PDB file of all heavy atoms in Angstrom:
ATOM      1  N   GLY Y  52      -3.346  -9.752   7.209  1.00 93.00           N
ATOM      2  CA  GLY Y  52      -2.893 -10.934   6.468  1.00 93.00           C
ATOM      3  C   GLY Y  52      -1.697 -10.668   5.570  1.00 93.00           C
ATOM      4  O   GLY Y  52      -1.326 -11.516   4.765  1.00 93.00           O
ATOM      5  N   LEU Y  53      -1.083  -9.504   5.684  1.00 94.00           N
ATOM      6  CA  LEU Y  53       0.084  -9.195   4.857  1.00 94.00           C
ATOM      7  C   LEU Y  53       1.358  -9.751   5.477  1.00 94.00           C
ATOM      8  O   LEU Y  53       2.361  -9.948   4.789  1.00 94.00           O
ATOM      9  CB  LEU Y  53       0.226  -7.671   4.679  1.00 94.00           C
ATOM     10  CG  LEU Y  53      -0.957  -6.969   4.029  1.00 94.00           C
ATOM     11  CD1 LEU Y  53      -0.780  -5.467   4.080  1.00 94.00           C
ATOM     12  CD2 LEU Y  53      -1.127  -7.429   2.595  1.00 94.00           C
ATOM     13  N   VAL Y  54       1.308  -9.971   6.782  1.00 94.00           N
ATOM     14  CA  VAL Y  54       2.440 -10.550   7.506  1.00 94.00           C
ATOM     15  C   VAL Y  54       1.924 -11.764   8.270  1.00 94.00           C
ATOM     16  O   VAL Y  54       0.833 -11.698   8.856  1.00 94.00           O
ATOM     17  CB  VAL Y  54       3.034  -9.513   8.490  1.00 94.00           C
ATOM     18  CG1 VAL Y  54       3.867 -10.182   9.559  1.00 94.00           C
ATOM     19  CG2 VAL Y  54       3.870  -8.484   7.744  1.00 94.00           C
ATOM     20  N   ARG Y  55       2.668 -12.856   8.194  1.00 93.00           N
ATOM     21  CA  ARG Y  55       2.234 -14.065   8.907  1.00 93.00           C
ATOM     22  C   ARG Y  55       2.986 -14.184  10.222  1.00 93.00           C
ATOM     23  O   ARG Y  55       4.216 -14.270  10.209  1.00 93.00           O
ATOM     24  CB  ARG Y  55       2.474 -15.282   8.035  1.00 93.00           C
ATOM     25  CG  ARG Y  55       1.576 -15.203   6.821  1.00 93.00           C
ATOM     26  CD  ARG Y  55       1.793 -16.285   5.838  1.00 93.00           C
ATOM     27  NE  ARG Y  55       0.767 -16.136   4.802  1.00 93.00           N
ATOM     28  CZ  ARG Y  55       0.550 -17.006   3.851  1.00 93.00           C
ATOM     29  NH1 ARG Y  55       1.262 -18.097   3.783  1.00 93.00           N
ATOM     30  NH2 ARG Y  55      -0.383 -16.804   2.944  1.00 93.00           N
ATOM     31  N   TYR Y  72      -9.630 -16.392   6.632  1.00 94.00           N
ATOM     32  CA  TYR Y  72      -9.089 -15.130   6.134  1.00 94.00           C
ATOM     33  C   TYR Y  72     -10.069 -14.349   5.260  1.00 94.00           C
ATOM     34  O   TYR Y  72     -10.071 -13.126   5.259  1.00 94.00           O
ATOM     35  CB  TYR Y  72      -7.767 -15.376   5.379  1.00 94.00           C
ATOM     36  CG  TYR Y  72      -7.891 -16.041   4.031  1.00 94.00           C
ATOM     37  CD1 TYR Y  72      -7.933 -15.298   2.865  1.00 94.00           C
ATOM     38  CD2 TYR Y  72      -7.964 -17.420   3.919  1.00 94.00           C
ATOM     39  CE1 TYR Y  72      -8.043 -15.901   1.632  1.00 94.00           C
ATOM     40  CE2 TYR Y  72      -8.067 -18.034   2.696  1.00 94.00           C
ATOM     41  CZ  TYR Y  72      -8.109 -17.278   1.550  1.00 94.00           C
ATOM     42  OH  TYR Y  72      -8.222 -17.888   0.332  1.00 94.00           O
ATOM     43  N   ARG Y  73     -10.930 -15.068   4.540  1.00 93.00           N
ATOM     44  CA  ARG Y  73     -11.844 -14.346   3.644  1.00 93.00           C
ATOM     45  C   ARG Y  73     -12.895 -13.580   4.456  1.00 93.00           C
ATOM     46  O   ARG Y  73     -13.181 -12.421   4.167  1.00 93.00           O
ATOM     47  CB  ARG Y  73     -12.498 -15.310   2.664  1.00 93.00           C
ATOM     48  CG  ARG Y  73     -11.437 -16.014   1.808  1.00 93.00           C
ATOM     49  CD  ARG Y  73     -12.035 -16.944   0.811  1.00 93.00           C
ATOM     50  NE  ARG Y  73     -12.480 -16.194  -0.359  1.00 93.00           N
ATOM     51  CZ  ARG Y  73     -12.762 -16.750  -1.518  1.00 93.00           C
ATOM     52  NH1 ARG Y  73     -12.657 -18.044  -1.674  1.00 93.00           N
ATOM     53  NH2 ARG Y  73     -13.158 -16.013  -2.534  1.00 93.00           N
ATOM     54  N   ARG Y  76     -11.127 -10.629   6.245  1.00 95.00           N
ATOM     55  CA  ARG Y  76     -10.765  -9.479   5.390  1.00 95.00           C
ATOM     56  C   ARG Y  76     -11.983  -8.665   4.980  1.00 95.00           C
ATOM     57  O   ARG Y  76     -11.873  -7.473   4.713  1.00 95.00           O
ATOM     58  CB  ARG Y  76     -10.014  -9.976   4.154  1.00 95.00           C
ATOM     59  CG  ARG Y  76      -8.619 -10.454   4.499  1.00 95.00           C
ATOM     60  CD  ARG Y  76      -7.865 -10.894   3.284  1.00 95.00           C
ATOM     61  NE  ARG Y  76      -6.781 -11.783   3.652  1.00 95.00           N
ATOM     62  CZ  ARG Y  76      -6.043 -12.466   2.810  1.00 95.00           C
ATOM     63  NH1 ARG Y  76      -6.269 -12.365   1.516  1.00 95.00           N
ATOM     64  NH2 ARG Y  76      -5.076 -13.255   3.226  1.00 95.00           N
ATOM     65  N   VAL Y  87       0.469   4.617  -1.969  1.00 92.00           N
ATOM     66  CA  VAL Y  87       0.502   3.740  -3.141  1.00 92.00           C
ATOM     67  C   VAL Y  87      -0.752   3.934  -3.989  1.00 92.00           C
ATOM     68  O   VAL Y  87      -1.816   4.265  -3.466  1.00 92.00           O
ATOM     69  CB  VAL Y  87       0.624   2.253  -2.726  1.00 92.00           C
ATOM     70  CG1 VAL Y  87       1.980   1.998  -2.116  1.00 92.00           C
ATOM     71  CG2 VAL Y  87      -0.464   1.839  -1.756  1.00 92.00           C
ATOM     72  N   PHE Y  88      -0.605   3.717  -5.287  1.00 93.00           N
ATOM     73  CA  PHE Y  88      -1.738   3.866  -6.198  1.00 93.00           C
ATOM     74  C   PHE Y  88      -1.442   3.095  -7.474  1.00 93.00           C
ATOM     75  O   PHE Y  88      -0.291   2.756  -7.747  1.00 93.00           O
ATOM     76  CB  PHE Y  88      -1.986   5.351  -6.503  1.00 93.00           C
ATOM     77  CG  PHE Y  88      -0.839   6.016  -7.219  1.00 93.00           C
ATOM     78  CD1 PHE Y  88      -0.832   6.151  -8.594  1.00 93.00           C
ATOM     79  CD2 PHE Y  88       0.249   6.517  -6.515  1.00 93.00           C
ATOM     80  CE1 PHE Y  88       0.237   6.742  -9.246  1.00 93.00           C
ATOM     81  CE2 PHE Y  88       1.316   7.118  -7.156  1.00 93.00           C
ATOM     82  CZ  PHE Y  88       1.310   7.232  -8.532  1.00 93.00           C
ATOM     83  N   PHE Y  91      -2.667   3.077 -13.679  1.00 92.00           N
ATOM     84  CA  PHE Y  91      -3.429   2.792 -14.901  1.00 92.00           C
ATOM     85  C   PHE Y  91      -4.867   3.308 -14.826  1.00 92.00           C
ATOM     86  O   PHE Y  91      -5.547   3.382 -15.837  1.00 92.00           O
ATOM     87  CB  PHE Y  91      -3.464   1.286 -15.164  1.00 92.00           C
ATOM     88  CG  PHE Y  91      -2.162   0.744 -15.678  1.00 92.00           C
ATOM     89  CD1 PHE Y  91      -1.173   0.347 -14.811  1.00 92.00           C
ATOM     90  CD2 PHE Y  91      -1.922   0.670 -17.052  1.00 92.00           C
ATOM     91  CE1 PHE Y  91       0.036  -0.143 -15.281  1.00 92.00           C
ATOM     92  CE2 PHE Y  91      -0.719   0.193 -17.531  1.00 92.00           C
ATOM     93  CZ  PHE Y  91       0.266  -0.218 -16.650  1.00 92.00           C
ATOM     94  N   GLU Y  96     -12.435   4.413 -11.198  1.00 95.00           N
ATOM     95  CA  GLU Y  96     -12.104   3.034 -11.592  1.00 95.00           C
ATOM     96  C   GLU Y  96     -11.430   2.296 -10.436  1.00 95.00           C
ATOM     97  O   GLU Y  96     -11.725   1.128 -10.173  1.00 95.00           O
ATOM     98  CB  GLU Y  96     -11.172   3.039 -12.804  1.00 95.00           C
ATOM     99  CG  GLU Y  96     -11.881   3.323 -14.117  1.00 95.00           C
ATOM    100  CD  GLU Y  96     -10.927   3.522 -15.281  1.00 95.00           C
ATOM    101  OE1 GLU Y  96      -9.728   3.842 -15.043  1.00 95.00           O
ATOM    102  OE2 GLU Y  96     -11.373   3.394 -16.435  1.00 95.00           O
ATOM    103  N   ILE Y 100     -12.970  -1.038  -8.894  1.00 95.00           N
ATOM    104  CA  ILE Y 100     -12.187  -2.284  -8.891  1.00 95.00           C
ATOM    105  C   ILE Y 100     -12.050  -2.807  -7.467  1.00 95.00           C
ATOM    106  O   ILE Y 100     -12.242  -3.996  -7.197  1.00 95.00           O
ATOM    107  CB  ILE Y 100     -10.804  -2.044  -9.543  1.00 95.00           C
ATOM    108  CG1 ILE Y 100     -10.979  -1.885 -11.061  1.00 95.00           C
ATOM    109  CG2 ILE Y 100      -9.832  -3.178  -9.228  1.00 95.00           C
ATOM    110  CD1 ILE Y 100      -9.747  -1.390 -11.784  1.00 95.00           C
ATOM    111  N   GLN Y 101     -11.763  -1.892  -6.528  1.00 95.00           N
ATOM    112  CA  GLN Y 101     -11.609  -2.318  -5.130  1.00 95.00           C
ATOM    113  C   GLN Y 101     -12.924  -2.908  -4.607  1.00 95.00           C
ATOM    114  O   GLN Y 101     -12.916  -3.903  -3.883  1.00 95.00           O
ATOM    115  CB  GLN Y 101     -11.160  -1.127  -4.273  1.00 95.00           C
ATOM    116  CG  GLN Y 101     -10.436  -1.514  -3.002  1.00 95.00           C
ATOM    117  CD  GLN Y 101      -9.111  -2.234  -3.246  1.00 95.00           C
ATOM    118  OE1 GLN Y 101      -8.517  -2.101  -4.315  1.00 95.00           O
ATOM    119  NE2 GLN Y 101      -8.671  -3.013  -2.284  1.00 95.00           N
ATOM    120  N   GLY Y 103     -15.164  -4.430  -6.414  1.00 95.00           N
ATOM    121  CA  GLY Y 103     -15.284  -5.739  -7.054  1.00 95.00           C
ATOM    122  C   GLY Y 103     -14.457  -6.799  -6.357  1.00 95.00           C
ATOM    123  O   GLY Y 103     -14.889  -7.948  -6.208  1.00 95.00           O
ATOM    124  N   TYR Y 104     -13.265  -6.422  -5.899  1.00 95.00           N
ATOM    125  CA  TYR Y 104     -12.416  -7.385  -5.174  1.00 95.00           C
ATOM    126  C   TYR Y 104     -13.139  -7.933  -3.949  1.00 95.00           C
ATOM    127  O   TYR Y 104     -12.880  -9.051  -3.508  1.00 95.00           O
ATOM    128  CB  TYR Y 104     -11.118  -6.712  -4.694  1.00 95.00           C
ATOM    129  CG  TYR Y 104     -10.115  -6.404  -5.772  1.00 95.00           C
ATOM    130  CD1 TYR Y 104      -9.093  -5.477  -5.534  1.00 95.00           C
ATOM    131  CD2 TYR Y 104     -10.148  -7.027  -7.009  1.00 95.00           C
ATOM    132  CE1 TYR Y 104      -8.144  -5.184  -6.504  1.00 95.00           C
ATOM    133  CE2 TYR Y 104      -9.207  -6.737  -7.987  1.00 95.00           C
ATOM    134  CZ  TYR Y 104      -8.197  -5.807  -7.724  1.00 95.00           C
ATOM    135  OH  TYR Y 104      -7.270  -5.521  -8.667  1.00 95.00           O
ATOM    136  N   PHE Y 105     -14.014  -7.110  -3.378  1.00 95.00           N
ATOM    137  CA  PHE Y 105     -14.747  -7.542  -2.179  1.00 95.00           C
ATOM    138  C   PHE Y 105     -16.116  -8.130  -2.542  1.00 95.00           C
ATOM    139  O   PHE Y 105     -16.956  -8.316  -1.673  1.00 95.00           O
ATOM    140  CB  PHE Y 105     -14.900  -6.380  -1.199  1.00 95.00           C
ATOM    141  CG  PHE Y 105     -13.634  -6.090  -0.433  1.00 95.00           C
ATOM    142  CD1 PHE Y 105     -12.704  -5.197  -0.924  1.00 95.00           C
ATOM    143  CD2 PHE Y 105     -13.360  -6.740   0.759  1.00 95.00           C
ATOM    144  CE1 PHE Y 105     -11.522  -4.937  -0.242  1.00 95.00           C
ATOM    145  CE2 PHE Y 105     -12.190  -6.487   1.449  1.00 95.00           C
ATOM    146  CZ  PHE Y 105     -11.263  -5.595   0.944  1.00 95.00           C
ATOM    147  N   ARG Y 108     -20.789  -5.543  -6.570  1.00 87.00           N
ATOM    148  CA  ARG Y 108     -20.882  -5.153  -7.983  1.00 87.00           C
ATOM    149  C   ARG Y 108     -21.381  -3.725  -8.159  1.00 87.00           C
ATOM    150  O   ARG Y 108     -20.710  -2.894  -8.722  1.00 87.00           O
ATOM    151  CB  ARG Y 108     -21.791  -6.123  -8.731  1.00 87.00           C
ATOM    152  CG  ARG Y 108     -21.031  -7.354  -9.155  1.00 87.00           C
ATOM    153  CD  ARG Y 108     -21.783  -8.119 -10.200  1.00 87.00           C
ATOM    154  NE  ARG Y 108     -21.026  -9.300 -10.575  1.00 87.00           N
ATOM    155  CZ  ARG Y 108     -21.505 -10.312 -11.236  1.00 87.00           C
ATOM    156  NH1 ARG Y 108     -22.761 -10.307 -11.622  1.00 87.00           N
ATOM    157  NH2 ARG Y 108     -20.757 -11.347 -11.545  1.00 87.00           N
ATOM    158  N   GLN Y 146     -10.535   3.875  -0.670  1.00 95.00           N
ATOM    159  CA  GLN Y 146     -10.399   2.463  -1.050  1.00 95.00           C
ATOM    160  C   GLN Y 146     -10.608   1.528   0.143  1.00 95.00           C
ATOM    161  O   GLN Y 146     -11.123   0.432  -0.016  1.00 95.00           O
ATOM    162  CB  GLN Y 146      -9.026   2.215  -1.678  1.00 95.00           C
ATOM    163  CG  GLN Y 146      -8.978   2.680  -3.136  1.00 95.00           C
ATOM    164  CD  GLN Y 146      -7.611   2.506  -3.757  1.00 95.00           C
ATOM    165  OE1 GLN Y 146      -6.698   3.256  -3.469  1.00 95.00           O
ATOM    166  NE2 GLN Y 146      -7.459   1.536  -4.618  1.00 95.00           N
TER     167      GLN Y 146
ATOM    168  N   ASP C   2     -16.734 -12.959  -7.527  1.00 84.00           N
ATOM    169  CA  ASP C   2     -16.681 -11.594  -8.045  1.00 84.00           C
ATOM    170  C   ASP C   2     -15.287 -11.005  -7.922  1.00 84.00           C
ATOM    171  O   ASP C   2     -14.850 -10.243  -8.774  1.00 84.00           O
ATOM    172  CB  ASP C   2     -17.678 -10.707  -7.294  1.00 84.00           C
ATOM    173  CG  ASP C   2     -19.060 -10.820  -7.923  1.00 84.00           C
ATOM    174  OD1 ASP C   2     -19.159 -11.445  -8.977  1.00 84.00           O
ATOM    175  OD2 ASP C   2     -20.010 -10.297  -7.337  1.00 84.00           O
ATOM    176  N   THR C   6     -13.259  -9.570 -11.032  1.00 95.00           N
ATOM    177  CA  THR C   6     -12.774  -8.187 -11.016  1.00 95.00           C
ATOM    178  C   THR C   6     -11.274  -8.143 -11.252  1.00 95.00           C
ATOM    179  O   THR C   6     -10.790  -7.287 -12.008  1.00 95.00           O
ATOM    180  CB  THR C   6     -13.110  -7.515  -9.663  1.00 95.00           C
ATOM    181  OG1 THR C   6     -14.504  -7.609  -9.451  1.00 95.00           O
ATOM    182  CG2 THR C   6     -12.693  -6.053  -9.660  1.00 95.00           C
ATOM    183  N   LYS C  10      -9.589  -6.338 -14.299  1.00 95.00           N
ATOM    184  CA  LYS C  10      -8.573  -5.304 -14.074  1.00 95.00           C
ATOM    185  C   LYS C  10      -7.279  -5.631 -14.833  1.00 95.00           C
ATOM    186  O   LYS C  10      -6.652  -4.744 -15.427  1.00 95.00           O
ATOM    187  CB  LYS C  10      -8.313  -5.181 -12.573  1.00 95.00           C
ATOM    188  CG  LYS C  10      -7.210  -4.229 -12.187  1.00 95.00           C
ATOM    189  CD  LYS C  10      -6.098  -5.017 -11.591  1.00 95.00           C
ATOM    190  CE  LYS C  10      -4.860  -4.215 -11.346  1.00 95.00           C
ATOM    191  NZ  LYS C  10      -3.729  -5.054 -10.983  1.00 95.00           N
ATOM    192  N   LYS C  17      -5.529  -0.738 -21.834  1.00 94.00           N
ATOM    193  CA  LYS C  17      -5.381   0.724 -21.747  1.00 94.00           C
ATOM    194  C   LYS C  17      -4.091   1.196 -22.405  1.00 94.00           C
ATOM    195  O   LYS C  17      -3.972   2.363 -22.763  1.00 94.00           O
ATOM    196  CB  LYS C  17      -5.388   1.165 -20.276  1.00 94.00           C
ATOM    197  CG  LYS C  17      -6.775   1.236 -19.693  1.00 94.00           C
ATOM    198  CD  LYS C  17      -6.783   2.107 -18.443  1.00 94.00           C
ATOM    199  CE  LYS C  17      -8.213   2.401 -18.032  1.00 94.00           C
ATOM    200  NZ  LYS C  17      -8.349   3.661 -17.325  1.00 94.00           N
ATOM    201  N   GLN C  80       5.382  -4.547 -11.391  1.00 94.00           N
ATOM    202  CA  GLN C  80       4.984  -3.135 -11.228  1.00 94.00           C
ATOM    203  C   GLN C  80       4.210  -2.941  -9.933  1.00 94.00           C
ATOM    204  O   GLN C  80       4.434  -1.986  -9.191  1.00 94.00           O
ATOM    205  CB  GLN C  80       4.134  -2.681 -12.413  1.00 94.00           C
ATOM    206  CG  GLN C  80       4.962  -2.302 -13.624  1.00 94.00           C
ATOM    207  CD  GLN C  80       4.093  -1.889 -14.794  1.00 94.00           C
ATOM    208  OE1 GLN C  80       2.910  -1.626 -14.651  1.00 94.00           O
ATOM    209  NE2 GLN C  80       4.694  -1.831 -15.977  1.00 94.00           N
ATOM    210  N   THR C  84       5.757  -0.620  -6.992  1.00 92.00           N
ATOM    211  CA  THR C  84       5.030   0.601  -6.621  1.00 92.00           C
ATOM    212  C   THR C  84       4.242   0.416  -5.322  1.00 92.00           C
ATOM    213  O   THR C  84       3.808   1.395  -4.727  1.00 92.00           O
ATOM    214  CB  THR C  84       4.043   1.036  -7.725  1.00 92.00           C
ATOM    215  OG1 THR C  84       3.108  -0.019  -7.922  1.00 92.00           O
ATOM    216  CG2 THR C  84       4.756   1.353  -9.023  1.00 92.00           C
ATOM    217  N   ASN C  86       1.340  -1.063  -4.971  1.00 92.00           N
ATOM    218  CA  ASN C  86      -0.121  -1.179  -5.069  1.00 92.00           C
ATOM    219  C   ASN C  86      -0.612  -2.628  -5.071  1.00 92.00           C
ATOM    220  O   ASN C  86      -1.813  -2.873  -5.133  1.00 92.00           O
ATOM    221  CB  ASN C  86      -0.677  -0.387  -6.259  1.00 92.00           C
ATOM    222  CG  ASN C  86      -0.262  -0.953  -7.597  1.00 92.00           C
ATOM    223  OD1 ASN C  86      -0.368  -2.135  -7.832  1.00 92.00           O
ATOM    224  ND2 ASN C  86       0.226  -0.089  -8.481  1.00 92.00           N
ATOM    225  N   PHE C  89      -3.490  -3.664  -2.758  1.00 94.00           N
ATOM    226  CA  PHE C  89      -4.921  -3.619  -3.085  1.00 94.00           C
ATOM    227  C   PHE C  89      -5.450  -4.999  -3.478  1.00 94.00           C
ATOM    228  O   PHE C  89      -6.636  -5.264  -3.386  1.00 94.00           O
ATOM    229  CB  PHE C  89      -5.196  -2.630  -4.222  1.00 94.00           C
ATOM    230  CG  PHE C  89      -4.752  -1.224  -3.910  1.00 94.00           C
ATOM    231  CD1 PHE C  89      -4.060  -0.473  -4.852  1.00 94.00           C
ATOM    232  CD2 PHE C  89      -5.012  -0.658  -2.677  1.00 94.00           C
ATOM    233  CE1 PHE C  89      -3.635   0.815  -4.558  1.00 94.00           C
ATOM    234  CE2 PHE C  89      -4.596   0.632  -2.381  1.00 94.00           C
ATOM    235  CZ  PHE C  89      -3.910   1.367  -3.332  1.00 94.00           C
ATOM    236  N   LEU C  91      -3.934  -7.836  -2.230  1.00 95.00           N
ATOM    237  CA  LEU C  91      -3.651  -8.761  -1.131  1.00 95.00           C
ATOM    238  C   LEU C  91      -4.603  -8.575   0.048  1.00 95.00           C
ATOM    239  O   LEU C  91      -4.811  -9.492   0.830  1.00 95.00           O
ATOM    240  CB  LEU C  91      -2.202  -8.584  -0.646  1.00 95.00           C
ATOM    241  CG  LEU C  91      -1.111  -8.895  -1.677  1.00 95.00           C
ATOM    242  CD1 LEU C  91       0.266  -8.662  -1.077  1.00 95.00           C
ATOM    243  CD2 LEU C  91      -1.221 -10.334  -2.164  1.00 95.00           C
ATOM    244  N   LEU C  92      -5.168  -7.374   0.183  1.00 94.00           N
ATOM    245  CA  LEU C  92      -6.071  -7.120   1.319  1.00 94.00           C
ATOM    246  C   LEU C  92      -7.466  -7.752   1.137  1.00 94.00           C
ATOM    247  O   LEU C  92      -8.064  -8.173   2.119  1.00 94.00           O
ATOM    248  CB  LEU C  92      -6.223  -5.608   1.553  1.00 94.00           C
ATOM    249  CG  LEU C  92      -5.008  -4.880   2.130  1.00 94.00           C
ATOM    250  CD1 LEU C  92      -5.252  -3.370   2.162  1.00 94.00           C
ATOM    251  CD2 LEU C  92      -4.702  -5.373   3.542  1.00 94.00           C
ATOM    252  N   PRO C  93      -7.999  -7.807  -0.084  1.00 95.00           N
ATOM    253  CA  PRO C  93      -9.350  -8.359  -0.235  1.00 95.00           C
ATOM    254  C   PRO C  93      -9.406  -9.882  -0.062  1.00 95.00           C
ATOM    255  O   PRO C  93      -8.370 -10.553  -0.074  1.00 95.00           O
ATOM    256  CB  PRO C  93      -9.728  -7.981  -1.670  1.00 95.00           C
ATOM    257  CG  PRO C  93      -8.777  -6.938  -2.085  1.00 95.00           C
ATOM    258  CD  PRO C  93      -7.507  -7.228  -1.343  1.00 95.00           C
ATOM    259  N   PRO C  94     -10.632 -10.407   0.054  1.00 94.00           N
ATOM    260  CA  PRO C  94     -10.780 -11.858   0.280  1.00 94.00           C
ATOM    261  C   PRO C  94     -10.680 -12.666  -1.015  1.00 94.00           C
ATOM    262  O   PRO C  94     -11.588 -13.401  -1.376  1.00 94.00           O
ATOM    263  CB  PRO C  94     -12.184 -11.961   0.895  1.00 94.00           C
ATOM    264  CG  PRO C  94     -12.917 -10.786   0.352  1.00 94.00           C
ATOM    265  CD  PRO C  94     -11.916  -9.699   0.154  1.00 94.00           C
ATOM    266  N   SER C  96      -8.876 -15.653  -2.960  1.00 93.00           N
ATOM    267  CA  SER C  96      -8.053 -16.821  -2.619  1.00 93.00           C
ATOM    268  C   SER C  96      -6.839 -16.874  -3.540  1.00 93.00           C
ATOM    269  O   SER C  96      -6.823 -16.262  -4.607  1.00 93.00           O
ATOM    270  CB  SER C  96      -8.870 -18.101  -2.768  1.00 93.00           C
ATOM    271  OG  SER C  96      -9.066 -18.388  -4.136  1.00 93.00           O
ATOM    272  N   GLN C  99      -7.743 -18.148  -6.947  1.00 96.00           N
ATOM    273  CA  GLN C  99      -8.392 -17.125  -7.779  1.00 96.00           C
ATOM    274  C   GLN C  99      -7.366 -16.128  -8.313  1.00 96.00           C
ATOM    275  O   GLN C  99      -7.442 -15.685  -9.459  1.00 96.00           O
ATOM    276  CB  GLN C  99      -9.452 -16.381  -6.965  1.00 96.00           C
ATOM    277  CG  GLN C  99     -10.673 -17.229  -6.643  1.00 96.00           C
ATOM    278  CD  GLN C  99     -11.655 -16.464  -5.775  1.00 96.00           C
ATOM    279  OE1 GLN C  99     -11.272 -15.673  -4.908  1.00 96.00           O
ATOM    280  NE2 GLN C  99     -12.933 -16.698  -5.999  1.00 96.00           N
ATOM    281  N   ARG C 244       0.389 -19.867  -1.937  1.00 93.00           N
ATOM    282  CA  ARG C 244      -0.168 -20.332  -0.656  1.00 93.00           C
ATOM    283  C   ARG C 244       0.758 -19.977   0.499  1.00 93.00           C
ATOM    284  O   ARG C 244       0.303 -19.544   1.562  1.00 93.00           O
ATOM    285  CB  ARG C 244      -0.413 -21.842  -0.691  1.00 93.00           C
ATOM    286  CG  ARG C 244      -1.208 -22.371   0.502  1.00 93.00           C
ATOM    287  CD  ARG C 244      -1.638 -23.813   0.287  1.00 93.00           C
ATOM    288  NE  ARG C 244      -0.505 -24.717   0.178  1.00 93.00           N
ATOM    289  CZ  ARG C 244       0.205 -25.178   1.211  1.00 93.00           C
ATOM    290  NH1 ARG C 244      -0.110 -24.826   2.441  1.00 93.00           N
ATOM    291  NH2 ARG C 244       1.220 -25.995   1.020  1.00 93.00           N
ATOM    292  N   ILE C 245       2.065 -20.132   0.282  1.00 93.00           N
ATOM    293  CA  ILE C 245       2.990 -19.801   1.384  1.00 93.00           C
ATOM    294  C   ILE C 245       3.284 -18.294   1.424  1.00 93.00           C
ATOM    295  O   ILE C 245       3.969 -17.810   2.311  1.00 93.00           O
ATOM    296  CB  ILE C 245       4.313 -20.595   1.300  1.00 93.00           C
ATOM    297  CG1 ILE C 245       5.107 -20.224   0.033  1.00 93.00           C
ATOM    298  CG2 ILE C 245       4.074 -22.084   1.382  1.00 93.00           C
ATOM    299  CD1 ILE C 245       6.550 -20.726   0.043  1.00 93.00           C
ATOM    300  N   ARG C 250       3.656 -12.114   1.036  1.00 91.00           N
ATOM    301  CA  ARG C 250       3.215 -11.913   2.423  1.00 91.00           C
ATOM    302  C   ARG C 250       4.380 -12.313   3.324  1.00 91.00           C
ATOM    303  O   ARG C 250       4.831 -13.454   3.274  1.00 91.00           O
ATOM    304  CB  ARG C 250       1.988 -12.771   2.735  1.00 91.00           C
ATOM    305  CG  ARG C 250       0.793 -12.415   1.843  1.00 91.00           C
ATOM    306  CD  ARG C 250      -0.418 -13.270   2.193  1.00 91.00           C
ATOM    307  NE  ARG C 250      -1.440 -13.174   1.150  1.00 91.00           N
ATOM    308  CZ  ARG C 250      -2.382 -12.248   1.135  1.00 91.00           C
ATOM    309  NH1 ARG C 250      -2.460 -11.378   2.105  1.00 91.00           N
ATOM    310  NH2 ARG C 250      -3.271 -12.206   0.155  1.00 91.00           N
ATOM    311  N   ALA C 251       4.857 -11.368   4.124  1.00 83.00           N
ATOM    312  CA  ALA C 251       6.098 -11.600   4.894  1.00 83.00           C
ATOM    313  C   ALA C 251       5.913 -12.659   5.967  1.00 83.00           C
ATOM    314  O   ALA C 251       4.879 -12.721   6.608  1.00 83.00           O
ATOM    315  CB  ALA C 251       6.537 -10.296   5.542  1.00 83.00           C
TER     316      ALA C 251
END
Side-chain angles (χ1 to χ4, degrees):
Chain Y
L53 301 172
V54 161
R55 294 176 175 188
Y72 72 96
R73 300 181 82 164
R76 288 182 201 171
V87 292
F88 63 96
F91 286 87
E96 283 172 339
I100 287 169
Q101 204 64 22
Y104 287 162
F105 283 90
R108 277 196 180 165
Q146 281 177 285
Chain C
D2 275 352
T6 304
K10 175 246 172 190
K17 280 199 168 208
Q80 279 179 15
T84 60
N86 67 48
F89 301 135
L91 297 179
L92 289 174
S96 73
Q99 290 177 324
R244 190 170 63 79
I245 64 167
R250 299 181 194 272

